[in-house]
Amino acid sequence: CIALILSGWRGFYVWLGREGLVSSNPVQDVRAPKAPKPLPKALSVDDAVQLAEYHATPDTTDPWLECRDAALVELLYGCGLRVGELVGLDVQASDQAAGWLDLQDATAHVTGKGSKQRVVPILPIVREAVADYVRKCPWPMSKDAALFRGAKGGPLSQGMVQKAMARARVSLGLPASATPHALRHSFATHLLGAGADLRSLQELLGHASLGSTQIYTKVDA
């Protein structure tokens, strides 16, 4: 609103200058104040748990796809992964793999922004969901293959994850803010509210700067 007002005044003084009524534009170098950066939109604990426990009805999807979508949500909320990190996971570690899951050691090895690598622990409930998906997936889990697949066997895209989340969101009657990235925000906010320290949370999220993590203190408040 302030920016629009300043733009109007600048235009007005330009016109006055053309008409020879003023010799300078007093608002030419005035800048509007920066709008505060919006806070991340985290879900409530109840809404996040609803999504994590959601299962599509058997007549609307193949059973293995239901298990896949459940594993996706568990990883997003249980590990705080970005969607790009999630779909970039391979079945096993390799020279080409940007990330992979080690179900035996219960860890997710992730390459995030700026090629920053991190290891995130996997909770038992998350490991069980992923293991269930791996058992039921009809496509071979070869070493260099993507862990998560589309219905035709190709690597899962970020758009497919967003669509799966949208289906669950609509079925549960959750707000439009219940997106895949909102689960990452929820992971951070709920951990902080439960007493996690900022440095540990920074490592789990893969933030290069502690300042990026500190914003969740405002969300929690």
Side-chain angles (χ1 to χ4, degrees):
C1 182
I2 295 176
L4 289 174
I5 293 172
L6 282 172
S7 178
W9 275 109
R10 290 191 192 102
F12 177 61
Y13 273 99
V14 168
W15 176 81
L16 290 176
R18 284 200 303 262
E19 296 296 318
L21 300 176
V22 296
S23 59
S24 64
N25 187 337
V27 295
Q28 182 62 44
D29 297 323
V30 177
R31 295 289 177 264
K34 290 185 177 180
K37 187 177 180 180
L39 293 176
K41 293 183 179 179
L43 304 177
S44 68
V45 174
D46 288 342
D47 286 350
V49 170
Q50 277 194 77
L51 275 171
E53 294 179 344
Y54 172 75
H55 293 283
T57 54
D59 60 341
T60 59
T61 185
D62 292 331
W64 78 272
L65 290 176
E66 178 185 338
C67 294
R68 182 203 66 188
D69 291 351
L72 294 174
V73 174
E74 292 282 6
L75 276 168
L76 289 168
Y77 181 47
C79 295
L81 301 186
R82 300 178 178 93
V83 180
E85 296 168 347
L86 181 75
V87 299
L89 294 172
D90 281 0
V91 174
Q92 296 180 33
S94 69
D95 293 338
Q96 292 76 34
W100 68 92
L101 293 187
D102 189 329
L103 292 180
Q104 185 173 356
D105 291 341
T107 53
H109 299 255
V110 183
T111 301
K113 290 183 177 179
S115 298
K116 184 178 175 62
Q117 297 181 334
R118 70 186 190 278
V119 179
V120 183
I122 301 175
L123 296 171
I125 191 171
V126 179
R127 180 170 58 178
E128 291 170 11
V130 176
D132 189 36
Y133 156 69
V134 170
R135 283 193 300 269
K136 295 177 180 177
C137 180
W139 306 103
M141 292 286 171
S142 55
K143 180 179 179 180
D144 296 328
L147 175 61
F148 290 107
R149 315 289 185 83
K152 296 182 180 180
L156 199 66
S157 69
Q158 295 189 38
M160 293 176 186
V161 177
Q162 291 163 350
K163 286 180 180 179
M165 186 82 164
R167 288 194 297 269
R169 181 176 68 230
V170 171
S171 295
L172 294 171
L174 298 180
S177 58
T179 63
H181 204 65
L183 286 176
R184 173 174 163 86
H185 295 323
S186 304
F187 165 84
T189 305
H190 299 166
L191 268 182
L192 197 60
D197 66 274
L198 280 174
R199 286 292 182 186
S200 298
L201 189 56
Q202 178 189 4
E203 291 297 320
L204 291 173
L205 293 171
H207 285 161
S209 167
L210 185 62
S212 299
T213 313
Q214 286 176 324
I215 193 171
Y216 290 106
T217 60
K218 298 180 181 180
V219 179
D220 183 48

